[in-house]
Each structure stands twice: as structure tokens, then as C-alpha cells.
Amino acid sequence: MPDLILHHYPTSPFSEKVRLILGYKQLAWQSVVIPRIMPKPDLLALTGGYRRTPVLQIGADMYCDTALIADALEHRQPAPTLYPEHQKGMARVVAQWADSTLFWAAMGHNLSPAGAAALFAGQPPEAAQAFAADRGAMRAGMTSLRPGDASAAYKSYLRRLANMLHEQPFLLGAAPCIADFAAFHPLWFSRTVNPAMAGILDATPGVLAWMDRMAALGHGHLSKRSSTEAVAIAAAAQPAPLPDEPFQDEHGIALGSRVTVAAESFGQEPTEGLLRAATRTRFTLERTDERAGTLHVHFPRIGFVLRAVRA
């Protein structure tokens, strides 16, 4: 099977979610460290526009968004599972809440004026300005919590997580599931990336103990690749055959049509290509890049918008 290649950077919270899943499943993977702000020319050669972090590459197949990346890793290595039997729906719902509502409350706290000052302490002012401009462009049109409101919400959510962990080691029981990985990464940013803001965690020692259990899962077995090597790997490969899943048409757009797919919010840069699959869970676009060759770029349905390209 083609190698797993993760395009990420060390302080990316959503990348930490995937790195821990790789550790939980004890998978071998190749690490391609990408810039945390634009430009990202090698990544965009592979995705065609999508620039959020991380992206999972398997040969000439690109998986965007960590919800879909988790599904791809579950397919690659089903055990131990991320989706426990009889709790699949609950696990996915909690994960979706954690990746959105919890994440934005945590980041509103972590990147408050005091948090940003701590995060960029010792760096030239241009670094903070470039990061703020990059993330500001990605948040265009979004409503952001004010820092005080974010911190208050974050405290409430931490108490709710603590309640879920009462008398059990993980959020939904005896073993970690997708809900744990999704809830962990925003808190990891507070504790590890910007520890000046980690005091908010002290009121929930049960959450801290759970974080220790999660961190102990590790990151699996990694080796390093350059981004140019990853592009060459894609160029030398062909997209894998698509699973035989029914076409689910919710848009009146036929397979083979030229379309764009973009996130509903945060990082709405579109990817354009030919619609090769629209199943109940994902979209697949075929696109060609002069450096990377023919590619399939996969997106989850939830959180993404499909549009036809009008001639």
C-alpha cells in the first residue's frame, strides 16, 4: 500500500489530532512540514486551493479535513477503532462539537491579546503581524467570540468534559474514540503550544489526567519527507480506484461536471476539478497539476459546499 504522508506543522492543533490517531493505531507515516501561513506552493499543487492544515496524502489521493482523514485512517487500520460499536453516532457528534464550538472557544482564549503576546514573545513584530493577517483572511465573514466570552465558554466546556470523564478514563468509556482526539487538540494548544494560557485547565484536574493519558498514545512511527518529494510521489502515482458507493445527488450536478468544493467557513479557498464521486459522506474531485499529475482530492460532505462551475 502507498505510504501515509501527513502535510502538517508542529504547532498545528488539528495536526496534533491526526498525529495522535496515528499513534493510537501504531501506524507508520511520513512527515512533510509545511508553512503555517501562506504561501504554500507545494501543498496547493496537491490540493488545488485547499490550504488548511493538515492534509493526508496517500499516493495521488489527497484527504482534506481531519474528519475525513480520520475515516481514511480507520479504513487503513480498523483496529483499534475510532468509532465504537453502538456509540458511533455519539462519538461523531461530540467530535463535531469539539472541532468547532470547543475549538473556537479555546482559540479565542489562547489567542487573546495576552495569549498572542505570550505566543509571539521573542519573535519579531512582523511574525505576529503576518500570522494575524493570514488567519484574519481565513476567518473572513466569520463571527468570532470576544476574548472574555471565549474564556468563559472554554471554562464551561472544560467542566462538561470533566463531568464526562467522571468514573471513566475516556470521554465515552474505557478506550479513546474520535471524540477524545477531537476534544484533546484545542486543550493541547493551551497546555503545550501556549503554556502561558494553560492555567485555565487547572480547575479541572480530571481533564488534565485525561490529557496525560491521551498524550501517552504517542505519534506512531514517522520518517521525514520534503514537500517536493511528496509532489514527486503524487506525480509517479495514479489515484486509487474509487469505492463502489452509490452516487447521492443533492445538487442536481452530474458526475463528470466541473465543480468547486470549498469549506463553509474558515479557509474558504475553493478547489476546482471534475466531480468523480458524491457519496453519502464525501466528495471526490479529479484535477491535474503540471507538477503533481492527475490527482483525486477528497472532502467530507459535512462542512463543505459543492458548486457547479458555470461556463
Side-chain angles (χ1 to χ4, degrees), residues 6 20 48 65 125 139 155 179 219 225:
L6 187 69
L20 274 189
D65 192 89
R139 289 196 301 269
K155 290 175 182 176
H219 290 164
R225 283 276 188 189

Side-chain angles (χ1 to χ4, degrees), residues 17-34:
K17 173 186 174 182
V18 175
R19 292 187 294 251
L20 274 189
I21 292 173
L22 290 162
Y24 183 50
K25 291 181 173 290
Q26 284 296 292
L27 286 164
W29 57 285
Q30 297 182 0
S31 166
V32 173
V33 175
I34 62 174

